[in-house]
Amino acid sequence: MWSDASNLEQAIAFCQRKLDHLLEFLYYDHPHLESMWPSEAVEDAIFFCGFGVVDEPLPRYQLARCDMGQRLVVVNSQMNRFVHKWTNLEILRQVTLAHELGHVILHHDEISDRVYRSYVDNHRFEDSRPHQKENEADLFGRLFLVPADDLLHQNEAQRIQMAFDERRDLSPGEVTALIKRLASRFKVNPTTIKARLADFGWLYHTRRGQNWSKDLRLRKTRYCE
């Protein structure tokens, strides 16, 4: 996603500042949302930013679009046509909305009438800035959905962190089981948890492919070593 750890750390810090600013005002005006899982409050956060949310048919493989001019997020109501049959569509919708919230917060002032389209495979941009904006929206979305403090308090995350700190192996099956439990608890998909753990430098995927589910490994050394 980013070329090195320092760039990722800077991106995380930038997105976290934007997120903290949003949450400060969101929870002040709607304190009941603070007791909910973020995945359950993401649509409220979009409304709070002055954007509407509608579910409508969109082209195949397009998950959503964020229309800055119309101040509207449109979610594909026919995701079931192109995702795996075992996909939890409600969770996919919430993760998609978190990504669109990232566009709303991070990119609203770049081009006020811009329309951002999010696909199942977002690695389809030749120009570096559009691709970077998709990465930024992904990052913001998962920071919203899986707050660091909440994640670090989970036993499953602590087991992965301990194995990383002690440079011990965990089998891919064990890591996958821990990730699935975290995903269920945060009400997100496993891909979001895997990417979140990778933000801490604990996990990585091999060069054999970009499929997190098949190419997951526990990192044994820190980025700087």
Side-chain angles (χ1 to χ4, degrees):
M1 197 164 116
W2 279 270
S3 59
D4 56 48
S6 61
N7 288 340
L8 174 58
E9 289 172 0
Q10 292 171 11
I12 290 174
F14 174 79
C15 289
Q16 190 64 56
R17 287 195 299 271
K18 292 285 190 178
L19 176 58
D20 290 343
H21 185 262
L22 167 65
L23 295 180
E24 177 184 359
F25 291 97
L26 176 65
Y27 291 153
Y28 180 83
D29 283 2
H30 304 284
H32 68 284
L33 296 178
E34 196 166 3
S35 63
M36 299 168 61
W37 288 105
S39 60
E40 299 171 330
V42 62
E43 196 161 345
D44 293 281
I46 292 175
F47 292 152
F48 182 75
C49 294
F51 279 65
V53 176
V54 297
D55 293 76
E56 296 178 355
L58 291 174
R60 192 174 180 86
Y61 301 114
Q62 185 177 338
L63 293 173
R65 77 168 185 263
C66 181
D67 190 323
M68 295 295 183
Q70 297 294 321
R71 300 184 70 81
L72 183 67
V73 172
V74 181
V75 182
N76 195 334
S77 61
Q78 298 179 336
M79 292 180 181
N80 61 301
R81 295 184 306 161
F82 52 85
V83 299
H84 192 279
K85 65 180 180 179
W86 300 118
T87 299
N88 186 313
L89 294 176
E90 181 57 30
I91 285 178
L92 178 58
R93 182 180 185 274
Q94 301 306 88
V95 171
T96 300
L97 284 174
H99 174 95
E100 302 309 316
L101 178 62
H103 283 309
V104 168
I105 296 298
L106 301 176
H107 306 135
H108 66 279
D109 58 350
E110 292 199 23
I111 302 178
S112 60
D113 60 349
R114 181 66 184 265
V115 177
Y116 295 94
R117 294 175 175 85
S118 301
Y119 294 86
V120 172
D121 178 9
N122 269 325
H123 301 281
R124 55 175 65 196
F125 299 93
E126 295 181 1
D127 180 70
S128 61
R129 183 53 187 151
H131 181 60
Q132 184 182 29
K133 283 188 282 192
E134 291 305 309
N135 285 338
E136 291 168 354
D138 277 344
L139 175 57
F140 185 95
R142 65 179 181 263
L143 290 176
F144 178 91
L145 293 169
V146 188
D149 288 346
D150 291 342
L151 178 62
L152 294 174
H153 278 88
Q154 306 303 317
N155 289 333
E156 293 84 356
Q158 291 171 4
R159 286 179 61 184
I160 293 174
Q161 181 183 18
M162 186 176 299
F164 169 80
D165 288 341
E166 297 176 356
R167 301 189 181 187
R168 288 189 290 105
D169 277 324
L170 291 178
S171 71
E174 185 175 2
V175 174
T176 298
L178 294 171
I179 286 170
K180 285 183 177 179
R181 291 206 291 269
L182 287 170
S184 177
R185 192 164 305 137
F186 281 92
K187 303 181 187 298
V188 299
N189 53 11
T191 298
T192 298
I193 296 295
K194 294 168 188 176
R196 199 68 186 91
L197 294 172
D199 290 338
F200 289 92
W202 300 342
L203 299 180
Y204 73 102
H205 57 81
T206 70
R207 292 298 180 187
R208 289 189 296 130
Q210 297 299 318
N211 189 325
W212 276 101
S213 299
K214 296 180 179 178
D215 297 301
L216 190 65
R217 296 291 184 274
L218 179 68
R219 188 182 291 277
K220 291 187 181 180
T221 58
R222 297 190 181 277
Y223 287 126
C224 60
E225 295 176 336

